[in-house]
Amino acid sequence: MLPAQKTERGSYRSNVIHRGSSKVTNSLFLRIQNRFPADLSSILIETPTGQTYSYGDADACSAQIAGLLTSLGAKKGDRVAVQVDKSPEALFLYLGCIRAGLVYLPLNTAYQAGELSYFMENASPVIFVCQPHREAEVKAIADAQGVAQVLTLGMEADGSLMADAASRPTAFEPVDCADDDLAAILYTSGTTGKPKGAMMTQMNLWSNASTLEKLWGFTSEDTLLHALPIFHTHGLFIACHCVMLSGSKMFFLPKFDRDQVMSLLPRSTVMMGVPTFYVRLLSGDDFTADVTSNMRLFISGSAPLLPETFTAFKERTGKALLERYGMTEMGMATSNPLEGERIVHTVGPALPDVDVRVCDEDGTVLGTDEIGVLEARGPNVFAGYWKMPEKTAEEFRQDGFFITGDIAKIDAKGYVHIVGRSKDLVISGGFNIYPKEVETLIDKMDGVVESAVIGVGHPDFGEAVVAVIVAEQKDALSEDAVITDIKSQLANFKVPKRVFFVDELPRNAMGKVQKNVLREEYKALFAN
Ligand code: AMP
């Protein structure tokens, strides 16, 4: 066996695979590892600065991390919470966790102290990996919540995680896992204001990954332009799994940067993005058929794609965006086809192993083109919400269908049309915001009687958060004061872009606030 080659960034450079023994058969990690290319020097990741990481590097580094985490006492089924910037090592940390049978719990870097405290209390992780500059803050919260270990990982592989992992062996026998063992918990905002931890099993992630890699025609010839965050299902599971299962390569951008994307498009073949990415690309005349000529596929999802964007994209590039639909709780559920008709304003038919139907509130299945709530069932659908059995029971039908909360219809061709959201979710720049969470904080402020938070159409973000407040006294509160207060407590994407003060909120006969009336009133707020 060859020793790993040392580099300045770590000790994990390796082109030797350390496969597990044959007795371990169905762990998610092993299934992914078995798809690594025979030539382990094949590139998995290239960064915008041209630094490359091979499949062998991913294998060796994930082994070292798995070894470190287990040496710190993490055992199969324990949670490892991760709030770090996107980097190759952050992906290897995910692989290290599933290699060791640990439950990976990614968190948006925008989350603030109060939110972190809730996640630590709710999920009781044994290890928390944070950005180096937030170590002291996170340690204080971890101490209060009884989280034993805090490690750090920076964008340049700086911090204690990689320093401590460097001395660990580059081999690690993958821990045996059953299909229904947990692989990850992803928090999704709750209508009650408290985020819910969606429990994803080994099979949930594997089934979705293997289906999509095939459906979207990934091969080792592909290069994915990866500009999504990796704390969300879209960028982490959908994008990275498609790449690793096909032995292809990805350009790993820390975030969406239009100039970087434009310069890498000619060397890429596939891009996955939220609609905002495509709106931003279309905003410059330099986004042309020429610059996209090497691209075989652009995929859009996580928020509704406006028909204007679909049409402008086709006119400009000659290519039809492929829109798909999914959510944290189930990964992907439907997709427009690779071959065949991609229909604007639809999210395509159900994936091969997924069943979808539209029902009324009582669960009666509705017919073609009838509008109701979309339900889905399949190996991709999550195992329930962590420590919330009642909430889980509420969202599943007796026959195993998950009630998505999205309002939809299914046409005669079997294509699903998403027509709205029953849960009042606001999606801004691809991130979900449940109004209740923001409203609860506003209502606690001195001088506030009540508030309503809505999403208003925004040319860049898709939707922007807007707060409408009834104050005890006119002019006692200012827009700036409210925004500053919320900013100190919540991730930036949840902070209202505008705040309005009104005498009273519009209500229906049942006393419910009519958010549709507010949305109508403020709909032109961000119009150009
Ligand atoms: P998340 O859990 O962050 O992935 O958000 C899931 C929600 O995003 C879904 O419940 C939908 O409301 C919305 N969503 C995802 N994809 C689409 C799409 N293609 N069109 C419309 N809404 C979408």
Side-chain angles (χ1 to χ4, degrees):
M1 204 176 283
L2 290 170
Q5 296 159 29
K6 289 247 179 202
T7 71
E8 74 286 356
R9 205 172 185 187
S11 62
Y12 53 85
R13 288 292 156 106
S14 170
N15 290 330
V16 185
I17 204 151
H18 301 285
R19 295 197 192 278
S21 68
S22 54
K23 75 176 169 49
V24 182
T25 52
N26 53 3
S27 91
L28 172 66
F29 177 81
L30 202 70
R31 283 173 159 147
I32 294 173
Q33 190 199 42
N34 280 337
R35 295 286 198 92
F36 282 8
D39 177 4
L40 287 169
S41 66
S42 308
I43 301 302
L44 167 61
I45 291 178
E46 183 175 331
T47 67
T49 55
Q51 212 160 358
T52 57
Y53 299 79
S54 70
Y55 278 87
D57 296 337
D59 181 64
C61 186
S62 66
Q64 290 185 318
I65 293 174
L68 172 66
L69 300 178
T70 48
S71 77
L72 294 173
K75 297 180 302 299
K76 182 179 167 182
D78 283 344
R79 276 77 56 212
V80 175
V82 177
Q83 191 193 30
V84 299
D85 289 306
K86 183 175 171 184
S87 69
E89 288 78 9
L91 177 64
F92 304 156
L93 172 55
Y94 160 63
L95 291 175
C97 286
I98 57 170
R99 189 171 190 149
L102 305 171
V103 181
Y104 187 70
L105 198 163
L107 295 169
N108 190 332
T109 45
Y111 285 131
Q112 299 299 314
E115 292 160 310
L116 296 188
S117 180
Y118 168 75
F119 294 128
M120 288 197 215
E121 188 204 336
N122 188 250
S124 48
V126 294
I127 296 170
F128 195 110
V129 187
C130 70
Q131 296 159 299
H133 72 274
R134 291 186 72 179
E135 186 176 8
E137 178 198 0
V138 171
K139 265 201 169 128
I141 305 166
D143 283 348
Q145 294 297 344
V147 176
Q149 304 277 346
V150 174
L151 299 172
T152 58
L153 174 63
M155 282 179 87
E156 298 302 325
D158 46 315
S160 58
L161 177 84
M162 296 309 297
D164 296 350
S167 57
R168 311 293 312 179
T170 53
F172 185 94
E173 179 85 4
V175 168
D176 204 357
C177 290
D179 284 350
D180 57 1
D181 282 334
L182 294 191
I185 295 179
L186 267 64
Y187 276 89
T188 164
S189 301
T191 37
T192 57
K194 284 286 179 212
K196 299 169 287 180
M199 299 188 286
M200 307 307 295
T201 67
Q202 307 262 322
M203 181 45 86
N204 290 154
L205 300 184
W206 172 250
S207 68
N208 216 223
S210 49
T211 298
L212 294 172
E213 181 247 350
K214 208 159 132 197
L215 194 78
W216 292 336
F218 273 84
T219 73
S220 58
E221 301 297 303
D222 275 315
T223 299
L224 177 85
L225 190 36
H226 193 307
L228 291 160
I230 57 167
F231 50 73
H232 185 268
T233 187
H234 193 171
L236 180 61
F237 300 138
I238 309 307
C240 296
H241 284 168
C242 278
V243 167
M244 290 190 286
L245 264 55
S246 58
S248 54
K249 164 183 159 177
M250 54 187 161
F251 287 120
F252 221 46
L253 275 53
K255 60 180 175 31
F256 181 88
D257 174 310
R258 192 179 182 281
D259 291 344
Q260 274 177 359
V261 170
M262 286 299 297
S263 73
L264 292 170
L265 275 171
R267 293 173 58 212
S268 308
T269 62
V270 185
M271 180 166 174
M272 293 186 194
V274 292
T276 309
F277 288 7
Y278 300 117
V279 171
R280 290 186 186 171
L281 285 173
L282 284 163
S283 70
D285 294 340
D286 52 348
F287 186 64
T288 58
D290 206 32
V291 90
T292 59
S293 63
N294 200 45
M295 294 290 293
R296 70 170 182 87
L297 186 60
F298 286 95
I299 300 173
S300 176
S302 292
L305 177 70
L306 294 175
E308 299 92 277
T309 310
F310 180 92
T311 309
F313 198 93
K314 190 146 193 204
E315 277 171 11
R316 193 81 74 82
T317 64
K319 297 176 201 296
L321 278 164
L322 183 154
E323 186 172 12
R324 92 297 176 282
Y325 158 84
M327 64 195 294
T328 300
E329 287 90 334
M330 55 184 183
M332 293 305 103
T334 75
S335 170
N336 270 284
L338 182 65
E339 308 292 344
E341 209 181 352
R342 294 179 200 162
I343 303 179
V344 62
H345 222 327
T346 82
V347 292
L351 300 186
D353 49 358
V354 179
D355 292 322
V356 293
R357 66 186 186 193
V358 170
C359 292
D360 67 11
E361 288 216 338
D362 304 327
T364 307
V365 181
L366 301 177
T368 303
D369 284 331
E370 285 189 290
I371 292 178
V373 177
L374 189 72
E375 301 186 356
R377 184 175 66 182
N380 57 320
V381 174
F382 74 133
Y385 295 112
W386 175 257
K387 286 192 191 160
M388 291 184 185
E390 294 89 16
K391 191 80 206 144
T392 303
E394 273 170 30
E395 307 216 357
F396 279 90
R397 300 277 181 210
Q398 292 275 306
D399 57 2
F401 273 84
F402 167 56
I403 306 165
T404 65
D406 286 311
I407 308 288
K409 64 178 186 179
I410 302 177
D411 68 20
K413 288 181 172 166
Y415 279 53
V416 175
H417 302 233
I418 305 290
V419 294
R421 289 187 298 272
S422 66
K423 295 177 183 170
D424 248 342
L425 183 73
V426 180
I427 304 184
S428 188
F431 295 128
N432 293 355
I433 300 111
Y434 275 89
K436 188 80 188 162
E437 189 180 10
V438 188
E439 287 163 5
T440 307
L441 292 179
I442 296 178
D443 293 350
K444 278 190 195 147
M445 288 177 197
D446 286 345
V448 171
V449 177
E450 61 172 347
S451 64
V453 164
I454 53 169
V456 171
H458 187 283
D460 196 19
F461 299 115
E463 284 182 311
V465 178
V466 170
V468 184
I469 298 178
V470 179
E472 277 167 13
Q473 278 178 347
K474 221 173 180 318
D475 301 331
L477 264 175
S478 72
E479 176 170 19
D480 278 354
V482 173
I483 290 176
T484 308
D485 191 324
I486 299 295
K487 227 180 205 154
S488 67
Q489 302 184 68
L490 289 182
N492 232 344
F493 65 87
K494 299 180 191 169
V495 176
K497 296 261 177 303
R498 291 296 313 270
V499 174
F500 294 93
F501 295 92
V502 294
D503 291 336
E504 57 179 18
L505 295 174
R507 290 178 188 277
N508 68 12
M510 302 299 289
K512 281 201 197 332
V513 175
Q514 292 169 301
K515 290 200 170 172
N516 51 334
V517 174
L518 291 175
R519 277 194 286 264
E520 185 58 28
E521 191 174 335
Y522 294 102
K523 73 175 182 205
L525 193 58
F526 301 104
N528 293 327

